[in-house]
Amino acid sequence: MTADLEAALATIDTWGADHASAALVGPDGVIARHGDVERIYRWASVTKLATALAMLTAIDDGSIDLDEPAGPAGSSVRHLLAHTSGLPFDGGTVQALAGTRRIYSNAGFDALGALLEERDGRPFAVALTDRLLAPLGMAGTELREGPSQGLHGPLGDAAALARELLRPTLLTASTHAAATSVAFPGLKGVLPGVGPFDPLDWGLGVEIRDAKSPHWTGTRNSAATFGHFGGAGTFIWVDPTIDRALVTLTDRGFDHWALEAWPHFSDAVIDSQRGR
């Protein structure tokens, strides 16, 4: 680890969290890490990355069709993955016709979990383990709550998930490309905790950075960057332009501090990779 990268990663110690851990990931795995690697963190909505990948493996093996009906009337699996089903953040009261607005929805991802549970004929937690956690060696991670926000696990397991997003081994190339491309372009919406965007671009389970400003990723992240953050003060971003992913787990809940600290942190880490 270079001194610049070591110093960049160590800034997580200044965030006021009781515990914070971070790892920079490349195509071959973890490049550098900082913080407690054994601690089990609540991932919150970073869970959605894992749920989406499990669903996409089911699409690849034919258990589920991306465009089959799911969720409210007129909605499909694709709509649920892209937060365009019309379901609200929580609850079942439909707020818009499918495909007309980007409404970030925990309820939509919990519906995806229920669908996978039905098709696989086993509890969602078991399906998630068999389809994703076990193949990626994520033995320290478990689902304690719903598919939208229930994973708890250590830094190394989150880094394994990030590497899979950077260099997919469980998905076909075409499915991975579809997941990381904008689904239903041009839809406006609100990114919870950040603000309204027009458009609010999203892929299939991953937020796509594009030109959003302000944003929780760095100003030096490319427009192609995709990932997710969680309300527990956690995030994973993957930047295919620089071939790197950054994983951060904390126990300080997401708030204004994160929107101030995370972009500077990401920029410092990216700067440490210049000319590598």
Side-chain angles (χ1 to χ4, degrees):
M1 180 177 3
T2 66
D4 285 350
L5 178 54
E6 184 175 8
L9 291 177
T11 61
I12 64 174
D13 296 335
T14 69
W15 289 354
D18 290 335
H19 302 91
S21 305
L24 180 67
V25 178
D28 298 322
V30 173
I31 295 170
R33 59 173 64 88
H34 183 85
D36 187 346
V37 299
E38 303 295 334
R39 182 174 181 79
I40 301 300
Y41 290 90
R42 183 170 73 92
W43 293 9
S45 284
V46 170
T47 300
K48 291 183 177 69
L49 296 174
T51 295
L53 283 178
M55 288 296 299
L56 292 170
T57 66
I59 288 162
D60 270 345
D61 69 22
S63 300
I64 293 174
D65 189 283
L66 192 55
D67 292 309
E68 70 176 82
S75 172
S76 67
V77 172
R78 190 188 302 269
H79 287 105
L80 291 172
L81 283 166
H83 295 286
T84 61
S85 71
L87 285 173
F89 184 85
D90 284 311
T93 302
V94 177
Q95 296 185 340
L97 294 175
T100 62
R101 283 173 55 196
R102 192 88 61 190
I103 303 173
Y104 182 86
S105 178
N106 285 336
F109 267 72
D110 289 336
L112 288 169
L115 176 60
L116 185 61
E117 181 171 291
E118 175 192 325
R119 292 300 166 81
D120 276 10
R122 49 191 169 171
F124 174 76
V126 176
L128 181 65
T129 297
D130 291 346
R131 287 182 171 276
L132 187 77
L133 304 185
L136 297 183
M138 297 169 61
T141 298
E142 64 175 343
L143 189 77
R144 299 181 184 176
E145 300 135 42
S148 62
Q149 55 188 344
L151 284 178
H152 294 240
L155 180 67
D157 285 8
L161 177 61
R163 184 182 182 277
E164 176 64 20
L165 291 164
L166 184 66
R167 283 290 191 279
T169 62
L170 302 178
L171 300 181
T172 63
S174 60
T175 297
H176 183 262
T180 56
S181 301
V182 178
F184 307 101
L187 297 184
K188 62 183 178 181
V190 176
L191 182 57
V194 181
F197 291 97
D198 186 6
L200 177 61
D201 286 336
W202 221 277
L204 302 178
V206 301
E207 186 204 345
I208 299 174
R209 189 192 195 290
D210 283 346
K212 298 187 186 84
S213 180
H215 199 249
W216 58 272
T217 63
T219 62
R220 290 166 176 74
N221 279 100
S222 74
T225 300
F226 60 90
H228 217 293
F229 75 86
T234 55
F235 73 77
I236 294 176
W237 60 244
V238 178
D239 191 334
T241 300
I242 61 173
D243 215 14
R244 293 289 185 267
L246 186 61
V247 180
T248 303
L249 303 176
T250 83
D251 56 9
R252 183 178 181 186
F254 177 87
D255 207 334
H256 297 297
W257 72 267
L259 289 179
E260 295 177 3
W262 288 356
H264 294 296
F265 174 55
S266 294
D267 285 346
V269 171
I270 292 170
D271 283 346
S272 76
Q273 299 296 288
R274 302 296 186 193
R276 62 186 186 275

